[in-house]
Amino acid sequence: MDWYVYQRGSSPIRKVSRKGQRFRLKRNLFILLVICVVAGLLWCASVLGRINSGATTNPMQEADAGIILGMSMWGDEPSPGLKERLDYGLGLYREGKFTRFIVSGGLDKADYKYTEAEGMKNYLVGKGVPETAILLENKSTSTYENLQFSQRVMQTEGLKTAIIVTHTFHGQRAFEIAKELNYSSPELGLTDSKVMSMFKYKTREILAYTKWKMQQLFL
């Protein structure tokens, strides 16, 4: 009888074996977690390096158009960050680097009066740029669409070459997208920011760049 109960009961060897399996499972999960964290940090460091490598084309050649990539509007006015892009693009225009603007960006909020493109046009006109020198692309909601839809404007207007105007932290992704879209010898005109937190915007750009690479890989 005692022998039967012993046979039916829990084996000490089996208990030890189960504990060992749980320990190995936890250890393997921990190792996998560490590998993922390290890989993620290495990827972020690599992307940050690429972001920081963005630079204005030098020497910059004259182009048919300057494409100013949109940022958020603050009500009826361009945000301070967007004004930095506009002012930098305005400087290039006055230097004769291009003769036509393409301002690109859709509606930020449903109750806003102007799209990003319309707000940019109003700003440039207020700085003395003729309305006839400004082309609008006011449907885009992302950097990819900025460049894709602006390319269609260029094709409609018979424009062949462009200088892409944006901030330095945004330049590398914009350039890669332009190459993906088969822009003809795209150039970059990049400005640093004195009004935006680079920690915030570079962190966001790491995520945006990662999303862009995932889209390239799977789509």
Side-chain angles (χ1 to χ4, degrees):
M1 184 68 175
D2 292 341
W3 178 84
Y4 177 76
V5 172
Y6 180 77
Q7 292 294 323
R8 292 290 301 271
S10 298
S11 166
I13 297 175
R14 191 171 298 170
K15 284 183 178 180
V16 172
S17 177
R18 288 175 179 172
K19 286 182 179 179
Q21 288 176 347
R22 287 196 294 269
F23 173 79
R24 287 192 293 272
L25 178 60
K26 289 179 180 178
R27 181 191 63 188
N28 291 341
L29 288 173
F30 177 75
I31 291 172
L32 179 61
L33 177 62
V34 170
I35 291 172
C36 289
V37 169
V38 171
L41 290 174
L42 289 174
W43 170 255
C44 288
S46 173
V47 172
L48 183 60
R50 294 190 68 80
I51 290 171
N52 289 335
S53 72
T56 295
T57 303
N58 186 24
M60 183 181 288
Q61 305 298 318
E62 293 182 8
D64 296 331
I67 300 173
I68 302 185
L69 303 183
M71 286 188 73
S72 61
M73 293 283 290
W74 283 11
D76 294 347
E77 295 285 329
S79 63
L82 183 51
K83 286 180 180 179
E84 287 181 323
R85 296 183 185 182
L86 288 162
D87 289 339
Y88 182 77
L90 188 60
L92 295 177
Y93 169 78
R94 288 172 174 167
E95 290 173 14
K97 296 301 182 183
F98 53 82
T99 57
R100 307 285 295 279
F101 283 94
I102 299 175
V103 287
S104 176
L107 191 65
D108 284 344
K109 296 181 180 179
D111 59 343
Y112 274 13
K113 184 176 180 180
Y114 301 113
T115 63
E116 292 174 8
E118 290 167 339
M120 287 191 277
K121 177 182 178 180
N122 293 340
Y123 183 85
L124 291 171
V125 169
K127 295 290 185 177
V129 179
E131 288 192 42
T132 53
I134 306 170
L135 301 170
L136 272 69
E137 182 293 293
N138 56 14
K139 300 296 183 182
S140 58
T141 59
S142 66
T143 301
Y144 190 93
E145 289 184 351
N146 284 148
L147 291 164
Q148 183 182 41
F149 298 166
S150 293
Q151 187 179 46
R152 294 175 186 172
V153 174
M154 290 178 64
Q155 292 167 348
T156 299
E157 296 293 325
L159 306 174
K160 303 297 183 183
T161 56
I163 297 169
I164 300 164
V165 178
T166 186
H167 280 98
T168 304
F169 69 85
H170 187 219
Q172 182 61 32
R173 179 162 60 98
F175 182 76
E176 291 185 17
I177 291 173
K179 295 291 285 184
E180 179 79 8
L181 291 169
N182 296 317
Y183 270 68
S184 176
S185 302
E187 299 183 84
L188 290 177
L190 305 181
T191 181
D192 293 326
S193 179
K194 296 179 180 179
V195 300
M196 295 187 293
S197 164
M198 283 301 96
F199 177 80
K200 173 184 176 181
Y201 279 90
K202 285 187 179 183
T203 299
R204 289 174 57 178
E205 186 60 21
I206 288 172
L207 297 175
Y209 187 91
T210 301
K211 179 182 177 182
W212 151 242
K213 285 301 177 184
M214 294 290 285
Q215 290 174 331
Q216 266 193 317
L217 184 62
F218 294 108
L219 299 181

